[in-house]
Amino acid sequence: MTAFVYRCTDCRREYARDEVRYLCPTCGAAYRPGIPLVGVLEAVFDAEHQRAKFDRSRPDWSLFSAVDPVHYPPLMVGHTPLVPAKRLGETLGLPALFIKNDGQNPSGSLKDRASFLVTAEAKRLGEAQVVCASTGNAASALATVCASAGVQALIFVPEKAPRAKLVQMVLAGARVIPVKGTYDDAFKLSLEFTAKRGGLNRNTAYHPLTIEGKKTVSLELFEQLGLRAPDAVFVSAGDGVILAGLHKGFVDLQRAGLIDTLPRLFAIQAEKSDAIHRYVETGTYSDAPNPSTIADSISVSCPSNSHWARRAILETKGRTLTVTDSEILDAQAQLTAGSGVFTEPAGATAYAGLLKVQAGPGALPRDAQVVVLATGHGLKDVDAPLSRVKIPAAIEPTLDAVGETAEAITR
Ligand SMILES: *Cc1c(COP(=O)(O)O)cnc(C)c1O
Ligand SMILES: [Zn+2]
């Protein structure tokens, strides 16, 4: 543990940790559901303490944690493999390409990192219920981590969430409330709920510790690459909170004197859910009017963390790009066949972005160390890639029949 204060990312006022819970009380007053969050709080640690205590030969990451590990749920979250993807990297002119396989988290997505820390915070505060709105993964993550911690999860989901995610949260004992309408409608309802009926709200970026939880992926990358930061990280963006978490993790490492420069962050959005991309390109925010993509986890009209997301791209000299559903499915197939990492469409979106960057004028140089975040497990949504999969017909159980159909079997 290291002491920290919350600092408003808009007005930069500072607050003691238990003085505030969600948004900056001053700037947050201007927030209403339907616009990107304002007054998002950032945890600012005592970097001198981190510098003094951090031992490179035995890294103690609790120095970067906002919640004392005594409150952590028992389930192990994070610590996911960083997979070298040499074969794919060669085809892209990037021999030092890695896939961070966050589908290997307990509920199958990177969202476990945020749910883990907010649930630890609920334990610290003695809150019996944690509430969230989610397109699916944040909710199944919260349900899973709450089951481990013995805390009640209450979840508002848009009615079109994929079945596997709904099954996960119901089985884990969460109270699940499907809401007619979009994710944005569910988000709004969950805010009304905690404002009037209590519980700790885990909505992404609304609770500042969601960003702190997600930043652990950067701390792990730093450690897994031999105590250095990569040159570039590719991530898909819906609400822009994983992006902010990545940014925050590297900023913390920089403040603590452990890295000099921030890696370039590349945020990839679906073509029809592109509010952050347009915000970065034009400097003016507007909603994605009718978000629709096969990558359900990044289908968002009004990304809650748009302002921080834009700052993360500008500060790291990164880029945003959009990709089509067809590019996402192609990328998913290539990534699975070329590395063994099967990630849901929202995870493959990051890889689709890398394919696009390497095919264009801004291709990354051969010596760049590049990480693609595979944010969720492929089994989360097996319907999505069905159009790319031909399951062979059954044969007679004879060798002759195998011979005849060998071609069909190799797709
Ligand atoms: C939530 C999610 C994302 C996007 O994260 P944001 O913080 O909403 O930008 C990407 N991939 C998967 C699998 C997710 O669940
Ligand atoms: Zn403020």
Side-chain angles (χ1 to χ4, degrees):
M1 266 293 283
T2 298
F4 74 94
V5 295
Y6 283 123
R7 183 161 72 202
C8 174
T9 52
D10 291 323
C11 73
R12 307 193 73 75
R13 269 192 194 84
E14 293 189 354
Y15 302 92
R17 78 171 300 180
D18 284 313
E19 196 181 341
V20 285
R21 215 173 234 202
Y22 305 116
L23 302 178
C24 166
T26 309
C27 303
Y31 172 67
R32 54 183 168 76
I35 63 170
L37 293 171
V38 282
V40 171
L41 296 174
E42 175 190 12
V44 180
F45 291 84
D46 176 354
E48 286 313 312
H49 180 256
Q50 290 171 325
R51 274 173 202 249
K53 287 279 154 96
F54 192 84
D55 177 355
R56 287 178 157 269
S57 63
R58 288 182 60 230
D60 172 9
W61 294 112
S62 73
L63 288 168
F64 289 75
S65 175
V67 182
D68 191 312
V70 299
H71 302 293
Y72 285 177
L75 208 53
M76 192 191 79
V77 163
H79 309 284
T80 57
L82 183 65
V83 185
K86 275 217 155 52
R87 271 193 302 135
L88 290 175
E90 281 301 343
T91 66
L92 294 171
L94 293 172
L97 174 66
F98 297 86
I99 315 294
K100 177 73 167 161
N101 190 5
D102 251 52
Q104 286 189 221
N105 273 296
S107 87
S109 86
L110 189 147
K111 298 287 196 297
D112 286 357
R113 297 175 183 273
S115 292
F116 183 82
L117 199 66
V118 175
T119 303
E121 177 75 346
K123 279 287 198 191
R124 184 184 75 84
L125 294 168
E127 283 280 4
Q129 180 160 261
V130 186
V131 180
C132 88
S134 161
T135 58
N137 280 339
S140 43
L142 182 63
T144 300
V145 173
C146 280
S148 161
V151 172
Q152 181 65 50
L154 172 62
I155 288 156
F156 297 95
V157 282
E159 59 187 334
K160 277 192 282 185
R163 235 164 12 128
K165 300 179 184 181
L166 288 166
V167 168
Q168 269 187 306
M169 51 190 109
V170 171
L171 271 186
R175 272 185 68 204
V176 177
I177 306 181
V179 178
K180 289 188 178 154
T182 62
Y183 165 58
D184 303 83
D185 297 314
F187 193 92
K188 181 173 175 204
L189 183 57
S190 76
L191 294 187
E192 286 171 15
F193 183 93
T194 44
K196 303 224 165 80
R197 304 211 188 148
L200 189 64
N201 194 304
R202 177 241 178 264
N203 280 2
T204 196
Y206 182 68
H207 198 301
L209 295 192
T210 52
I211 298 166
E212 286 300 307
K214 289 177 174 181
K215 88 175 178 189
T216 57
V217 74
S218 300
L219 307 181
E220 283 172 27
L221 288 175
F222 172 76
E223 184 164 20
Q224 288 169 316
L225 291 170
L227 302 187
R228 64 182 297 268
D231 296 302
V233 183
F234 283 72
V235 62
S236 65
D239 277 312
V241 184
I242 298 180
L243 174 59
L246 267 174
H247 176 240
K248 176 59 163 48
F250 291 119
V251 165
D252 277 4
L253 290 169
Q254 193 181 42
R255 285 177 184 158
L258 294 168
I259 59 173
D260 296 325
T261 46
L262 303 174
R264 294 181 70 192
L265 301 181
F266 289 75
I268 323 300
Q269 293 204 287
E271 193 177 40
K272 296 204 177 98
S273 180
D274 64 344
I276 292 173
H277 171 65
R278 281 182 296 102
Y279 188 22
V280 170
E281 295 276 300
T282 66
T284 308
Y285 175 81
S286 67
D287 289 353
N290 293 301
S292 103
T293 165
I294 195 154
D296 65 288
S297 301
I298 52 169
S299 180
V300 184
S301 168
C302 174
S304 60
N305 215 22
S306 292
H307 302 309
W308 190 327
R310 175 167 177 267
R311 208 156 35 81
I313 297 297
L314 298 180
E315 266 184 41
T316 65
K317 302 182 175 62
R319 251 179 94 178
T320 58
L321 290 96
T322 62
V323 292
T324 63
D325 279 2
S326 168
E327 287 170 325
I328 293 170
L329 291 174
D330 287 344
Q332 185 187 37
Q334 282 185 40
L335 182 61
T336 316
S339 74
V341 176
F342 178 31
T343 181
E344 65 168 271
T349 299
Y351 188 62
L354 175 63
L355 294 177
K356 201 159 186 171
V357 166
Q358 290 310 92
L364 296 166
R366 214 179 147 75
D367 61 354
Q369 207 170 39
V370 177
V371 173
V372 172
L373 279 191
T375 41
H377 202 291
L379 293 176
K380 288 269 191 179
D381 184 4
V382 290
D383 291 336
L386 274 184
S387 63
R388 295 291 197 279
V389 174
K390 205 169 129 228
I391 297 171
I395 58 162
E396 292 301 325
T398 66
L399 272 182
D400 279 354
V402 174
E404 284 162 19
T405 59
E407 248 169 287
I409 289 169
T410 56
R411 24 176 227 156

